[in-house]
Amino acid sequence: MPLNLFIIGPSGCGKSTQAKLIAQKYNLTHLSMGQLLRDEIAAKSGFGDEAKSYLDGGKLVPDDLIFDILISKLNSLNNQNFIIDGFPRVLNQGKYIEYYLKKINQPFSLLIHLSVTFEEINSRRSKKGDEFQDQDRTDNTPEAIKSRQQFYDDAIASIRDYFKSKKLFFDVDGNRPVEPIFEDICTKIDNIK
Ligand code: ADP
């Protein structure tokens, strides 16, 4: 059975760290939605040009653009054995991918939510050299960070309710060191396989 995973959480929660560990352990392709967008921008593609102002402002890139980029990437992986970090960010994206995978007979295995308080994120951010700081990013301004937090806050309850009702949602306490979080996630994944 293919394993198709999603991991979300507030900006700076450490989801890409977990996604990399999960990808390594379960032999999955790790896709970061934010990185896919940054790659498009770096390549100066039409998609990238369209996405740039949203990214820099910490705003959500419109769904149509997100779906075009993501689906073409998923197709190149035969739509299986992946972990996507930073998607879905709104319920509509979640419903879309659920329907898409169903239509092509692929599983939506689990949506992992790394739950981290804003106090914890801010304290990690203020520590210099922290793994969650990414100096190369053009969206590290206080305004963009605040905007990303707001979008997350607005969307998480509806995403949680919907996927919980389908038993496809796993809340994990992310206010802890990397290892215990990873262990909890692995225990959960091992139970769905
Ligand atoms: P962070 O974890 O700090 O939010 P990401 O690299 O995941 O960083 O995302 C960076 C930016 O890319 C977001 O602020 C947003 O503009 C855009 N983005 C990423 N994923 C999505 C998505 N699923 N839908 C819309 N926009 C997205």
Side-chain angles (χ1 to χ4, degrees):
M1 180 85 152
L3 192 56
N4 295 338
L5 302 171
F6 300 84
I7 184 163
I8 58 172
S11 180
C13 70
K15 58 188 181 293
S16 75
T17 302
Q18 295 295 331
K20 281 178 198 140
L21 292 169
I22 296 162
Q24 204 173 23
K25 172 159 175 165
Y26 294 95
N27 207 14
L28 308 174
T29 301
H30 170 214
L31 300 176
S32 152
M33 197 61 232
Q35 194 54 49
L36 290 177
L37 291 163
R38 286 188 286 275
D39 291 348
E40 292 288 337
I41 292 171
K44 300 202 185 304
S45 71
F47 286 154
D49 291 345
E50 224 182 302
K52 184 167 171 37
S53 63
Y54 295 99
L55 251 91
D56 286 348
K59 305 268 186 296
L60 293 179
V61 172
D63 286 354
D64 286 357
L65 198 52
I66 292 288
F67 298 150
D68 278 346
I69 294 169
L70 183 60
I71 299 301
S72 83
K73 192 75 198 176
L74 287 181
N75 271 315
S76 74
L77 307 172
N78 295 322
N79 298 291
Q80 53 179 249
N81 296 317
F82 56 80
I83 177 159
I84 308 176
D85 105 45
F87 181 97
R89 261 178 158 88
V90 287
L91 181 56
N92 185 50
Q93 292 181 356
K95 287 182 173 170
Y96 180 94
I97 201 73
E98 184 195 25
Y99 176 74
Y100 170 79
L101 290 171
K102 194 175 176 165
K103 214 174 49 182
I104 57 171
N105 224 358
Q106 291 292 335
F108 182 120
S109 309
L110 189 67
L111 172 54
I112 300 156
H113 173 234
L114 200 50
S115 183
V116 184
T117 64
F118 290 132
E119 290 73 23
E120 173 71 17
I121 290 169
N122 289 334
S123 112
R124 289 178 189 176
R125 273 208 177 100
S126 62
K127 284 181 195 136
K128 202 174 166 283
D130 182 270
E131 68 194 277
F132 301 100
Q133 294 240 7
D134 190 344
Q135 303 300 348
D136 293 340
R137 279 175 55 171
T138 52
D139 60 353
N140 258 335
T141 63
E143 297 76 27
I145 290 171
K146 192 154 181 276
S147 171
R148 289 206 290 281
Q149 286 182 345
Q150 191 62 51
F151 278 110
Y152 163 80
D153 250 1
D154 290 346
I156 190 60
S158 63
I159 295 174
R160 178 192 274 119
D161 287 352
Y162 181 82
F163 285 100
K164 255 209 162 119
S165 77
K166 307 216 156 193
K167 303 211 182 322
L168 293 172
F169 195 87
F170 180 57
D171 252 316
V172 60
D173 177 6
N175 302 289
R176 297 178 293 163
V178 172
E179 297 76 23
I181 299 171
F182 181 54
E183 272 175 35
D184 284 359
I185 294 173
C186 291
T187 303
K188 178 69 185 180
I189 293 174
D190 292 340
N191 277 322
I192 56 166
K193 276 182 93 183

